[in-house]
Amino acid sequence: MSGRETVLASIRRGLGRGPLGDAARRALDERQGATDSAPLLPKLPKGPLQQVFRAGLEKVSGTMSEVAKLDEVPGAVAGYLAGHGLGPEAAVAPSLESLDWSGAGIQASFGPTRGGDYAGVSLAWRGVAENGSLVLLSGPENPTSLNFLPDHHIVVLHGKDLVAHLEPVWGALRERGEKGWPRTVNVITGPSRTADIELTIQLGAHGPRSLHVLLVD
């Protein structure tokens, strides 16, 4: 009897169950063979990835709007800031510096924030439809401080960078070749929150109090 079989048999005895029958054993062996070749991933709800991603994002108190092209991002950011009663200032990742921010009426500073900015705008590397998470890679073009210090975090995500599950993201990182791994990989799922005080959810406890995704489809 293998070590695996010994452990499973011990668990079954503890549960008051008898040994596995032949059919159950074959099914278990087939399942084990599947996990050896590829991970078993949860089944997603039916619908386009954008729809599944939005549902997952909203479930964790995030919001999303869509723009047709990247050039529309500054205008969408301006609309978000105005809608939340914020001034037209934002700390923006250098990866988005080429966009016409002044034309949208935004006073943009490019690079890391030192904590005095109410809004930060980042570029995501991947979006995960399974749970509405965002994957952001650190570097000079995408400072990590933008992910955590501003009260409002606005993240630009290209529709082509949506994936169903988190597991393929790590494979894609390994395939970056000369670019290699970044110093930090941030997986962000919704705005910052805590329930330490009387088990009541409080947003913005250790980071942004709001997370808004601009999906460029």
Side-chain angles (χ1 to χ4, degrees):
M1 181 180 291
S2 68
R4 167 172 162 267
E5 291 173 333
T6 301
V7 170
L8 293 177
S10 177
I11 293 173
R12 292 187 65 82
R13 284 196 302 272
L15 294 173
R17 299 176 181 176
L20 285 177
D22 292 339
R25 184 176 296 279
R26 284 196 299 271
L28 184 62
D29 290 340
E30 291 174 1
R31 182 180 177 88
Q32 181 64 29
T35 58
D36 288 342
S37 58
L40 291 173
L41 302 175
K43 186 176 295 185
L44 296 184
K46 294 181 179 179
L49 278 185
Q50 291 95 330
Q51 177 181 318
V52 178
F53 175 80
R54 181 193 287 270
L57 179 67
E58 292 176 348
K59 189 175 181 179
V60 293
S61 303
T63 57
M64 189 181 94
S65 58
E66 298 184 35
V67 295
K69 53 186 179 180
L70 193 62
D71 291 344
E72 298 177 10
V73 164
V77 171
Y80 176 90
L81 297 178
H84 286 74
L86 301 174
E89 300 91 19
V92 179
S95 57
L96 300 168
E97 187 172 357
S98 62
L99 302 179
D100 186 10
W101 296 95
S102 60
I106 294 181
Q107 302 171 25
S109 60
F110 302 100
T113 176
R114 299 187 180 278
D117 299 288
Y118 283 103
V121 185
S122 301
L123 178 65
W125 188 65
R126 291 289 188 274
V128 183
E130 176 184 358
N131 51 14
S133 293
L134 297 159
V135 181
L136 294 96
L137 309 184
S138 67
E141 293 297 301
N142 290 286
T144 298
S145 59
L146 296 178
N147 303 343
F148 299 107
L149 297 183
D151 272 356
H152 297 267
H153 190 198
I154 303 169
V155 182
V156 178
L157 172 66
H158 289 279
K160 65 180 178 58
D161 293 328
L162 269 176
V163 296
H165 301 93
L166 182 61
E167 283 78 1
V169 171
W170 308 118
L173 275 170
R174 287 190 289 269
E175 294 171 359
R176 279 164 53 89
E178 295 181 357
K179 293 182 179 180
W181 281 69
R183 183 175 183 180
T184 303
V185 178
N186 293 129
V187 181
I188 298 175
T189 308
S192 174
R193 67 182 64 209
T194 184
D196 289 345
I197 303 174
E198 297 181 350
L199 300 180
T200 301
I201 294 293
Q202 298 290 332
L203 298 181
H206 312 292
R209 66 181 65 252
S210 73
L211 175 68
H212 184 69
V213 175
L214 292 175
L215 184 68
V216 183
D217 194 0

